[in-house]
Amino acid sequence: MRMVVLGLGYLGATHAACMAELGHEVLGIEIMPEKRAQLAAGQVPFYEPGLPDMLKRHIDSGRLTISGSYVEAAKFADVFFIAVGTPQKKGEYSADLQYVDAAIEELVPQLTRNALILGKSTVPVGTAERLTTRAQELAKDIDVEIAWNPEFLREGYAIADTLKPDRLVLGAYPGGRAETFCRQIYAATLAEGTPFIVADPPTAELVKTSANAFLATKISFINAIAEVCDAAGADVQAIAEAIGYDARIGRKFLNAGLGFGGGCLPKDIRAFMARAGELGAAEALSFLREVDNVNMRRRQRMVDITREVCGGTLLGKRIAILGAAFKPESDDVRDSPALNVAGQIQLQGASVAVYDPKAMENSRKVFPTLDYAGTVLDACDQADAVLVLTEWREFVDLDPLPVRDVVRCANVIDGRMCLDKNRWVSNGWNFVV
Ligand code: UDX
């Protein structure tokens, strides 16, 4: 089938490449010329395991082409995916829908045949309905159907999550062609038995928002328990393990530590609260404010612990930060807890050296004033404390002995509860979680 993907960021580039992988002919539309040129040359402008190979293969074969033209898009196909970003508005909780709106405003006037627009971006409930009304105003004697087909991919596992998702969800209005088209588009995935939930658009929009709110809540729940554990001298990791064996609870997303960040969970729970407020249901989601608060306290706690370990002041201290990405297997530093902590520690008078296996370039753009080291050992040179803030395998497997030889004080703070404590302690480290 021929299809267009509008917006080629993390979501859109992965979706476009995966649709080509499923055998479809895909045109990807990216309005930023630099990004477009990179993608057209078969290069992925961010780190996502497996994606560069897949993208290059389909660019080379011609099954995936890249353009910046909505006129070309309108001619190319009758199915369009919206995969543009929906960031948090500056100084507000709500989602900024300018890119979604722009996609509709640019595309629909160019359409000359009936079309199906499938939204993949995470949007506040009610967006599909609003866009349907607007598309009808913009359409010229044709029928434009808008349905929502949310995406649940995790960065770092984006290809597997797209090709073999836990479930497919479609929110469509009755009488349209969205379900028939989706059954064709995802035929290979559905043939493998992937559950397919078909509902109305508001329900599909809320499935996505609810999923992210639940995941954020689960993480903040275990981090709230970690706060109590700190006060009571108990072990939160053992608690996570023990309660995780209960199939009703499950072990996943119960890793306590520095908490969640990234381009999705933080802004999605805030946009969800904002939307509930607009709908007069603010009280229903008031607990999400606490989920956010618990999460932000984790960052503050890490700064406080570092100051304590350094004898009560960070002035003139040298701190090594291992990890800058918001999670491993990603170079994404959007709302990264690690960089947030690094910035706060520097503001309290320490000199901070950061090392991350993949996120150095992105970190430099956001925090140009931090020092960036080329290796773990360079970052740790003469450090008064070493903080592990992203659980990259390189750090989990790190040999504590050579690191001890380069630091000034052998203090390690395990911000992600990912290190083998015995190994570090037996190599002479003061180990703090
Ligand atoms: C998330 C959702 O998982 C995905 O379904 C949605 O489509 C987009 O948002 P992503 O942002 O890629 O995906 O990251 P995810 O793997 O969910 O991790 C989010 C954050 O939570 C990371 O900062 C991670 O370090 C943190 N986390 C995760 C924890 O602190 N503890 C855990 O147990 C799990």
Side-chain angles (χ1 to χ4, degrees):
M1 197 188 257
R2 286 164 79 90
M3 58 188 65
V4 173
V5 177
L6 304 170
L8 299 175
Y10 282 96
L11 165 59
T14 307
H15 189 68
C18 287
M19 290 302 102
E21 182 76 8
L22 289 177
H24 302 302
E25 267 185 80
V26 186
L27 174 67
I29 301 292
E30 173 54 57
I31 55 166
M32 283 165 74
E34 253 177 53
K35 233 195 226 179
R36 190 164 69 230
Q38 258 184 301
L39 289 161
Q43 292 159 10
V44 179
F46 51 87
Y47 177 69
E48 181 61 44
L51 188 56
D53 279 357
M54 187 183 280
L55 183 97
K56 179 131 191 16
R57 202 154 21 90
H58 295 303
I59 294 271
D60 289 349
S61 73
R63 213 188 275 165
L64 170 59
T65 46
I66 312 285
S67 165
S69 160
Y70 276 84
V71 177
E72 224 179 289
K75 284 191 195 138
F76 186 82
D78 301 326
V79 177
F80 302 85
F81 285 101
I82 298 183
V84 296
T86 53
Q88 187 177 339
K89 272 188 191 159
K90 284 204 165 60
E92 285 179 49
Y93 267 21
S94 52
D96 182 350
L97 294 175
Q98 62 167 310
Y99 305 108
V100 173
D101 290 349
I104 297 293
E105 298 288 331
E106 297 281 325
L107 175 71
V108 178
Q110 308 296 338
L111 296 172
T112 54
R113 304 182 302 270
N114 291 351
L116 169 66
I117 299 178
L118 289 165
K120 293 209 82 67
S121 311
T122 303
V123 291
V125 58
T127 301
E129 188 185 345
R130 183 175 63 77
L131 295 180
T132 299
T133 307
R134 183 61 186 144
Q136 278 160 2
E137 289 165 7
L138 293 166
K140 294 176 188 136
D141 301 325
I142 52 159
D143 179 51
V144 178
E145 180 182 354
I146 296 186
W148 226 259
N149 171 217
E151 181 56 60
F152 302 92
L153 66 80
R154 293 160 300 168
E155 291 175 22
Y157 303 91
I159 290 177
D161 284 351
T162 306
L163 293 177
K164 291 185 193 308
D166 293 335
R167 75 304 213 182
L168 285 164
V169 176
L170 174 68
Y173 292 111
R177 298 154 302 161
E179 184 177 346
T180 311
F181 271 103
C182 280
R183 287 194 182 278
Q184 276 175 265
I185 294 166
Y186 299 117
T189 316
L190 292 171
E192 289 180 9
T194 303
F196 186 28
I197 289 116
V198 182
D200 50 39
T203 305
E205 290 161 337
L206 277 175
V207 167
K208 173 60 195 268
T209 330
S210 313
N212 276 359
F214 188 84
L215 293 172
T217 304
K218 206 171 172 189
I219 299 168
S220 277
F221 171 82
I222 200 66
N223 279 328
I225 300 298
E227 286 187 25
V228 180
C229 285
D230 280 351
D235 178 356
V236 71
Q237 283 173 288
I239 292 174
E241 190 191 348
I243 65 173
Y245 281 120
D246 185 331
R248 294 169 301 173
I249 297 173
R251 178 63 186 81
K252 288 179 185 161
F253 270 68
L254 279 184
N255 294 327
L258 193 49
F260 59 83
C264 294
L265 297 192
K267 63 114 176 146
D268 286 350
I269 59 168
R270 291 170 196 155
F272 200 11
M273 284 186 266
R275 185 64 185 137
E278 286 168 9
L279 293 167
E283 210 182 331
L285 296 186
S286 58
F287 72 95
L288 285 181
R289 203 172 295 273
E290 199 46 39
V291 166
D292 206 356
N293 285 338
V294 169
N295 193 52
M296 298 313 277
R297 278 206 296 274
R298 302 308 283 172
R299 304 178 184 190
Q300 188 55 52
R301 171 184 171 272
M302 192 52 50
V303 178
D304 295 345
I305 289 179
T306 310
R307 198 176 43 245
E308 269 169 46
V309 162
C310 289
T313 177
L314 286 164
L315 266 180
K317 302 292 178 186
R318 196 176 154 82
I319 307 298
I321 304 272
L322 303 186
F326 83 103
K327 67 171 191 179
E329 297 306 323
S330 171
D331 66 351
D332 196 345
V333 297
R334 285 176 294 172
D335 202 354
S336 165
L339 277 188
N340 181 307
V341 168
Q344 288 194 60
I345 288 177
Q346 190 195 38
L347 284 175
Q348 293 192 21
S351 99
V352 176
V354 180
Y355 168 75
D356 186 284
K358 297 286 176 200
M360 301 291 269
E361 209 180 304
N362 286 342
S363 305
R364 264 197 203 99
K365 284 183 210 152
V366 184
F367 271 106
T369 54
L370 298 172
D371 286 337
Y372 292 94
T375 63
V376 168
L377 290 183
D378 281 349
C380 295
D381 191 31
Q382 295 305 306
D384 293 288
V386 175
L387 276 58
V388 177
L389 301 186
T390 312
E391 67 276 34
W392 283 100
R393 176 111 320 258
E394 181 180 348
F395 307 148
V396 175
D397 292 342
L398 199 60
D399 183 349
L401 198 57
V403 190
R404 204 194 63 194
D405 289 342
V406 299
V407 296
R408 189 152 59 195
C409 300
N411 293 309
V412 62
I413 306 177
D414 183 5
R416 290 292 180 180
M417 300 191 189
C418 62
L419 303 178
D420 179 347
K421 180 177 178 182
N422 289 340
R423 197 158 164 239
W424 285 77
V425 171
S426 62
N427 278 288
W429 286 81
N430 171 37
F431 189 95
V432 186
V433 281

